[in-house]
Amino acid sequence: MKAYRAAILYFSDTAQAVLETDGLLVVGANTQGRQVVQAVGAYSELFGRYPGLAIEHLPGRIIAPGFVDMHIHYPQLDVIGSPAEGLLPWLENYTFPHEKRFSDPDYSAQTAAFFIEELLRHGVTTALAFASSHPASVNALLGEAQRRSLRLIAGKVLMDQNAPDGVRDETEQSLVDTEALIQRWHGVDRLGYAITPRFVPSCSQAQLRGAGELAAKYPQVWVQSHVAENKDEIAWVRELYPQARSYLSVYEQFGLLRPRAVYAHCIHIDNEDRALLNGTGTAAAISPTSNLFLGSGFFDYAGADQAGFLYGLASDVGGGTSFSPFHTMLAAYYVGREGQTKTGLSLTPQQLWWQHTGGAARALGLDGVVGNLLPGCEADFVVLNPQATPLLARKTAQANSLDELLFALIVLGDERLVEKTVVSQAQTA
Ligand SMILES: [Zn+2]
């Protein structure tokens, strides 16, 4: 067992944050030998219960749950910050040419190592990631995540049409590869697999049908895709499926809406779609920096809360502009404020933080596993230094409430705040 003494941020209930200003986080192994939180609370109350405990004292620091990124593309590491006129030209001119390179296992492995290092540097300890269409890219990423003991979920992209040579896959083989990857990786250590149709236009009906069959056969496996990001994309889907009620309903038709299915964006949807997300237990991955960068539109938080479906935050690198959960939370605040195309509201700092930790975990079906520091949660956490920059030090010193403190971190923060990222390890007896 090991313990950390610092200010500790965790969630007592949905989006209800607690800051234990002089707290103790006690970490020990569960019955499977995995490091989990044993206790969290006030130092004065807890330290007497664990005599002889090794305590690392981190004065002036805040321990908080590791961040959960619900949607990110690891082959788009080098696509970040590429200029383009909207989503479809951006895919054609930057994304597909970069993704081609992942047919090479060595290139995939190098990029995977850099990518995971970058996640950890920014305090992200769980992610749901797209690989490329090449199985080697999945093996590289999940292999590296396993080596680093990270809870990572990933999948080979399915795209058998409307894509150039080098990234387009073959319908039959793509499904065979997907099932082989599920069997190789899903549930191994902390890893998970996600069936990954890129989006409706890039998948034939046969491929979507096959993906849906695998989603039914393996209910614990995740499904990830994109929906209703951009109006040109929606018009394209309408041409392909003129009978469909909506873009989202195409996925429903193929059995791809269910718990552990996560759809990035969900911007241009209506109340019927929202009810469909809620009724099927499907989650939305809100990707605000990407949506602002590509000019796609604004996620409707009020509509989402009215319908009650699950959602959380995502970087969507490389459409997104940053790995930093702080940048993503701030962009989510901007998106929430926007009141010209939908109801504008002010998301509270606690809500923003929850959406990138416990809320994202819940949307992934990992409630009580990651994204929080309650007893039993895997011991993934960040050590934040609120004095990391002169302005942060000045501003956080003046915070009179938890909301003021968290908002200062969200607005002024980036990876300089993240002094250390700690990932739960498997302990050998
Ligand atoms: Zn995406």
Side-chain angles (χ1 to χ4, degrees), residues 77-125:
L77 184 71
D78 298 309
V79 180
I80 202 166
S82 298
E85 291 177 14
L87 172 68
L88 301 177
W90 175 83
L91 280 173
E92 194 175 328
N93 297 330
Y94 291 100
T95 306
F96 293 155
H98 270 92
E99 291 195 7
K100 270 181 199 174
R101 304 175 69 179
F102 288 78
S103 57
D104 175 0
D106 290 337
Y107 183 77
S108 294
Q110 280 171 30
T111 311
F114 189 99
F115 175 81
I116 285 177
E117 195 57 48
E118 199 64 9
L119 288 178
L120 292 170
R121 215 164 65 77
H122 286 87
V124 176
T125 51

Coordinates of all heavy atoms in Angstrom, one line a residue, residues 77-125:
L77 N -2.0 12.2 -35.5 CA -1.0 12.9 -34.7 C -0.4 14.1 -35.5 O -0.3 15.2 -35.0 CB 0.0 12.0 -34.2 CG 1.1 12.5 -33.2 CD1 0.5 12.8 -31.9 CD2 2.2 11.6 -33.1
D78 N -0.1 13.8 -36.7 CA 0.6 14.8 -37.5 C -0.3 15.6 -38.4 O 0.1 16.4 -39.2 CB 1.7 14.1 -38.4 CG 2.7 13.5 -37.5 OD1 3.3 14.1 -36.6 OD2 3.0 12.3 -37.7
V79 N -1.6 15.3 -38.2 CA -2.6 16.1 -39.0 C -3.1 17.3 -38.2 O -3.7 18.2 -38.8 CB -3.9 15.1 -39.3 CG1 -4.9 15.9 -40.1 CG2 -3.4 13.9 -40.1
I80 N -2.8 17.3 -36.9 CA -3.2 18.4 -36.1 C -2.7 19.7 -36.7 O -1.6 19.8 -37.2 CB -2.6 18.1 -34.6 CG1 -3.4 18.9 -33.6 CG2 -1.2 18.5 -34.5 CD1 -3.1 18.4 -32.2
G81 N -3.6 20.7 -36.7 CA -3.2 22.0 -37.2 C -3.0 22.1 -38.7 O -2.3 22.9 -39.2
S82 N -3.7 21.2 -39.5 CA -3.6 21.3 -40.9 C -4.7 22.2 -41.5 O -5.9 22.0 -41.1 CB -3.7 19.9 -41.5 OG -2.7 19.1 -41.1
P83 N -4.4 23.2 -42.3 CA -5.4 24.1 -42.8 C -6.3 23.4 -43.9 O -5.8 22.7 -44.7 CB -4.6 25.2 -43.5 CG -3.3 24.6 -43.8 CD -3.1 23.5 -42.8
A84 N -7.6 23.6 -43.8 CA -8.5 23.0 -44.8 C -9.9 23.7 -44.8 O -10.2 24.3 -43.8 CB -8.7 21.5 -44.5
E85 N -10.6 23.6 -45.9 CA -11.9 24.2 -46.0 C -12.9 23.2 -45.6 O -13.7 22.7 -46.4 CB -12.1 24.7 -47.4 CG -11.2 25.8 -47.8 CD -11.4 26.3 -49.2 OE1 -12.4 25.9 -49.8 OE2 -10.5 27.1 -49.6
G86 N -13.0 22.9 -44.3 CA -14.1 22.0 -43.8 C -13.7 20.6 -43.7 O -12.6 20.2 -44.1
L87 N -14.6 19.7 -43.3 CA -14.3 18.3 -43.0 C -13.9 17.5 -44.2 O -12.9 16.8 -44.1 CB -15.5 17.7 -42.3 CG -15.5 16.2 -42.1 CD1 -14.5 15.8 -41.0 CD2 -16.9 15.7 -41.7
L88 N -14.7 17.5 -45.2 CA -14.4 16.6 -46.3 C -13.1 16.9 -47.1 O -12.3 16.0 -47.3 CB -15.6 16.5 -47.3 CG -16.9 16.1 -46.6 CD1 -18.1 16.1 -47.5 CD2 -16.8 14.7 -45.9
P89 N -12.8 18.2 -47.4 CA -11.4 18.4 -48.0 C -10.3 18.1 -47.0 O -9.2 17.7 -47.4 CB -11.5 19.9 -48.3 CG -12.9 20.4 -48.2 CD -13.6 19.4 -47.4
W90 N -10.6 18.3 -45.7 CA -9.5 18.0 -44.7 C -9.2 16.5 -44.7 O -8.0 16.1 -44.6 CB -10.1 18.5 -43.3 CG -9.2 18.2 -42.2 CD1 -8.2 18.9 -41.7 CD2 -9.4 17.1 -41.3 NE1 -7.7 18.3 -40.6 CE2 -8.4 17.2 -40.3 CE3 -10.3 16.1 -41.2 CZ2 -8.3 16.3 -39.2 CZ3 -10.2 15.2 -40.1 CH2 -9.2 15.3 -39.2
L91 N -10.3 15.7 -44.8 CA -10.0 14.2 -44.8 C -9.2 13.9 -46.1 O -8.2 13.1 -46.0 CB -11.4 13.5 -44.9 CG -12.2 13.3 -43.7 CD1 -13.6 12.7 -44.0 CD2 -11.5 12.4 -42.7
E92 N -9.6 14.4 -47.2 CA -9.0 14.0 -48.5 C -7.5 14.5 -48.6 O -6.7 13.8 -49.0 CB -9.8 14.6 -49.6 CG -9.5 14.1 -51.0 CD -10.5 14.7 -52.0 OE1 -11.7 15.0 -51.6 OE2 -10.1 14.9 -53.1
N93 N -7.3 15.8 -48.1 CA -6.0 16.4 -48.4 C -5.0 16.0 -47.3 O -3.7 16.1 -47.5 CB -6.1 17.9 -48.5 CG -6.9 18.3 -49.7 OD1 -6.9 17.5 -50.7 ND2 -7.6 19.4 -49.6
Y94 N -5.4 15.8 -46.1 CA -4.4 15.5 -45.0 C -4.6 14.2 -44.3 O -3.6 13.5 -44.1 CB -4.6 16.6 -43.9 CG -4.1 18.0 -44.4 CD1 -5.0 18.9 -44.9 CD2 -2.8 18.3 -44.5 CE1 -4.6 20.1 -45.4 CE2 -2.3 19.5 -45.0 CZ -3.2 20.4 -45.5 OH -2.8 21.6 -46.0
T95 N -5.9 13.9 -43.9 CA -6.0 12.7 -43.1 C -5.7 11.4 -43.8 O -4.9 10.6 -43.3 CB -7.5 12.7 -42.6 OG1 -7.7 13.9 -42.0 CG2 -7.7 11.6 -41.6
F96 N -6.3 11.2 -45.0 CA -6.1 9.9 -45.7 C -4.6 9.7 -46.0 O -4.0 8.7 -45.8 CB -7.0 9.8 -46.9 CG -8.5 9.6 -46.5 CD1 -9.5 10.0 -47.4 CD2 -8.8 9.1 -45.2 CE1 -10.8 9.9 -47.0 CE2 -10.2 9.0 -44.9 CZ -11.2 9.4 -45.8
P97 N -3.9 10.8 -46.6 CA -2.5 10.6 -46.9 C -1.7 10.2 -45.7 O -0.8 9.3 -45.7 CB -2.1 11.9 -47.4 CG -3.3 12.5 -48.0 CD -4.4 12.0 -47.1
H98 N -2.0 10.8 -44.5 CA -1.2 10.4 -43.3 C -1.6 9.0 -42.8 O -0.7 8.3 -42.4 CB -1.5 11.4 -42.2 CG -0.6 12.5 -42.2 ND1 -0.9 13.7 -42.8 CD2 0.6 12.7 -41.6 CE1 0.1 14.5 -42.7 NE2 1.0 14.0 -41.9
E99 N -2.8 8.6 -42.9 CA -3.2 7.3 -42.4 C -2.6 6.2 -43.2 O -2.4 5.1 -42.7 CB -4.8 7.2 -42.3 CG -5.3 8.1 -41.2 CD -6.8 7.9 -40.8 OE1 -7.3 6.8 -41.3 OE2 -7.3 8.7 -40.0
K100 N -2.4 6.5 -44.5 CA -1.7 5.4 -45.4 C -0.4 4.9 -44.8 O -0.1 3.7 -45.0 CB -1.3 6.1 -46.7 CG -2.4 6.0 -47.8 CD -2.0 6.6 -49.1 CE -3.2 6.9 -49.9 NZ -2.9 7.6 -51.1
R101 N 0.3 5.7 -44.1 CA 1.6 5.4 -43.6 C 1.6 4.3 -42.5 O 2.6 3.7 -42.2 CB 2.3 6.6 -43.0 CG 2.4 7.7 -44.1 CD 3.0 9.0 -43.5 NE 4.4 8.9 -43.2 CZ 5.1 9.9 -42.7 NH1 4.6 11.0 -42.5 NH2 6.4 9.7 -42.5
F102 N 0.3 4.1 -42.0 CA 0.2 3.1 -40.9 C 0.1 1.7 -41.3 O -0.1 0.8 -40.5 CB -0.9 3.5 -39.9 CG -0.6 4.7 -39.1 CD1 -0.6 6.0 -39.7 CD2 -0.1 4.6 -37.8 CE1 -0.3 7.1 -39.0 CE2 0.2 5.7 -37.1 CZ 0.2 7.0 -37.7
S103 N 0.3 1.4 -42.6 CA 0.5 0.0 -43.1 C 1.8 -0.5 -42.6 O 2.0 -1.7 -42.6 CB 0.3 0.0 -44.6 OG 1.3 0.8 -45.2
D104 N 2.7 0.4 -42.3 CA 4.1 0.0 -41.8 C 4.1 -0.2 -40.3 O 3.9 0.8 -39.6 CB 5.0 1.1 -42.3 CG 6.5 0.9 -41.8 OD1 6.7 -0.1 -41.1 OD2 7.3 1.8 -42.0
P105 N 4.4 -1.4 -39.8 CA 4.3 -1.6 -38.4 C 5.4 -0.8 -37.6 O 5.1 -0.4 -36.5 CB 4.7 -3.1 -38.2 CG 4.4 -3.7 -39.6 CD 4.6 -2.6 -40.6
D106 N 6.5 -0.6 -38.2 CA 7.5 0.2 -37.5 C 7.1 1.7 -37.3 O 7.2 2.3 -36.3 CB 8.9 0.2 -38.2 CG 9.5 -1.2 -38.2 OD1 9.2 -1.9 -37.2 OD2 10.3 -1.5 -39.0
Y107 N 6.5 2.2 -38.4 CA 6.0 3.6 -38.3 C 4.9 3.7 -37.3 O 4.8 4.6 -36.5 CB 5.6 4.1 -39.7 CG 5.1 5.5 -39.7 CD1 6.0 6.5 -39.7 CD2 3.8 5.8 -39.6 CE1 5.6 7.8 -39.6 CE2 3.3 7.1 -39.6 CZ 4.3 8.1 -39.6 OH 3.9 9.4 -39.5
S108 N 4.0 2.7 -37.3 CA 2.9 2.6 -36.3 C 3.4 2.6 -34.9 O 2.9 3.3 -34.0 CB 2.0 1.4 -36.6 OG 1.4 1.4 -37.8
A109 N 4.4 1.7 -34.7 CA 5.0 1.6 -33.3 C 5.6 2.9 -32.8 O 5.4 3.3 -31.7 CB 6.0 0.4 -33.3
Q110 N 6.4 3.5 -33.7 CA 7.0 4.8 -33.3 C 5.9 5.8 -33.0 O 6.1 6.6 -32.0 CB 7.8 5.4 -34.5 CG 9.1 4.8 -34.7 CD 9.7 5.4 -36.1 OE1 9.3 6.5 -36.5 NE2 10.5 4.6 -36.8
T111 N 4.9 5.9 -33.8 CA 3.9 6.9 -33.6 C 3.1 6.6 -32.3 O 2.7 7.5 -31.6 CB 3.0 7.0 -34.8 OG1 3.8 7.1 -36.0 CG2 2.1 8.2 -34.7
A112 N 2.8 5.3 -32.1 CA 2.0 4.9 -30.9 C 2.8 5.3 -29.7 O 2.2 5.8 -28.7 CB 1.8 3.4 -31.0
A113 N 4.1 5.1 -29.7 CA 4.9 5.4 -28.5 C 4.8 6.9 -28.2 O 4.6 7.4 -27.1 CB 6.3 5.0 -28.6
F114 N 4.9 7.7 -29.3 CA 4.9 9.2 -29.1 C 3.5 9.6 -28.6 O 3.3 10.4 -27.7 CB 5.2 9.9 -30.4 CG 5.3 11.4 -30.3 CD1 6.6 11.9 -30.2 CD2 4.2 12.2 -30.3 CE1 6.7 13.3 -30.1 CE2 4.4 13.6 -30.1 CZ 5.6 14.1 -30.0
F115 N 2.5 9.0 -29.2 CA 1.1 9.3 -28.9 C 0.7 9.0 -27.5 O 0.1 9.9 -26.8 CB 0.2 8.5 -29.9 CG -1.3 8.6 -29.6 CD1 -2.0 9.6 -30.1 CD2 -2.0 7.6 -28.9 CE1 -3.4 9.7 -29.9 CE2 -3.3 7.7 -28.7 CZ -4.1 8.8 -29.2
I116 N 1.1 7.9 -27.0 CA 0.8 7.5 -25.6 C 1.6 8.4 -24.6 O 1.1 8.9 -23.6 CB 1.0 6.0 -25.3 CG1 -0.1 5.3 -26.0 CG2 1.2 5.7 -23.8 CD1 -0.1 3.8 -25.9
E117 N 2.8 8.7 -25.0 CA 3.6 9.7 -24.1 C 2.9 11.0 -24.1 O 2.8 11.7 -23.0 CB 5.0 9.8 -24.8 CG 6.0 10.5 -23.9 CD 6.2 9.7 -22.6 OE1 6.4 8.5 -22.6 OE2 6.2 10.4 -21.5
E118 N 2.4 11.4 -25.2 CA 1.7 12.7 -25.3 C 0.4 12.7 -24.4 O 0.1 13.7 -23.7 CB 1.4 13.0 -26.7 CG 1.1 14.5 -27.1 CD 2.3 15.4 -26.8 OE1 3.4 15.0 -26.5 OE2 2.0 16.6 -26.9
L119 N -0.4 11.6 -24.5 CA -1.6 11.5 -23.7 C -1.2 11.7 -22.2 O -1.8 12.5 -21.5 CB -2.2 10.1 -23.8 CG -3.0 9.8 -25.1 CD1 -3.5 8.3 -25.1 CD2 -4.2 10.7 -25.3
L120 N -0.2 10.9 -21.8 CA 0.2 11.0 -20.3 C 0.8 12.3 -19.9 O 0.5 12.8 -18.8 CB 1.3 9.9 -20.1 CG 0.7 8.5 -20.2 CD1 1.9 7.4 -20.2 CD2 -0.3 8.2 -19.1
R121 N 1.5 13.0 -20.8 CA 2.0 14.3 -20.5 C 0.9 15.3 -20.3 O 1.1 16.3 -19.5 CB 2.8 14.8 -21.8 CG 4.0 15.6 -21.5 CD 4.9 15.6 -22.7 NE 4.3 16.3 -23.8 CZ 4.2 17.7 -23.9 NH1 4.6 18.4 -23.0 NH2 3.6 18.2 -25.0
H122 N -0.3 15.1 -20.9 CA -1.4 15.9 -20.7 C -2.4 15.4 -19.6 O -3.4 16.0 -19.4 CB -2.2 16.1 -22.0 CG -1.4 17.0 -23.0 ND1 -0.5 16.5 -23.9 CD2 -1.5 18.3 -23.2 CE1 0.0 17.5 -24.6 NE2 -0.6 18.6 -24.2
G123 N -2.0 14.3 -19.0 CA -2.9 13.8 -17.9 C -4.0 12.9 -18.3 O -4.9 12.7 -17.5
V124 N -4.0 12.5 -19.5 CA -5.0 11.6 -20.0 C -4.6 10.1 -19.8 O -3.6 9.7 -20.2 CB -5.3 11.8 -21.6 CG1 -6.3 10.8 -22.1 CG2 -5.7 13.2 -21.8
T125 N -5.5 9.4 -19.0 CA -5.1 8.0 -18.6 C -6.0 7.0 -19.2 O -5.7 5.8 -19.1 CB -5.1 7.9 -17.1 OG1 -6.3 8.4 -16.6 CG2 -4.0 8.7 -16.5

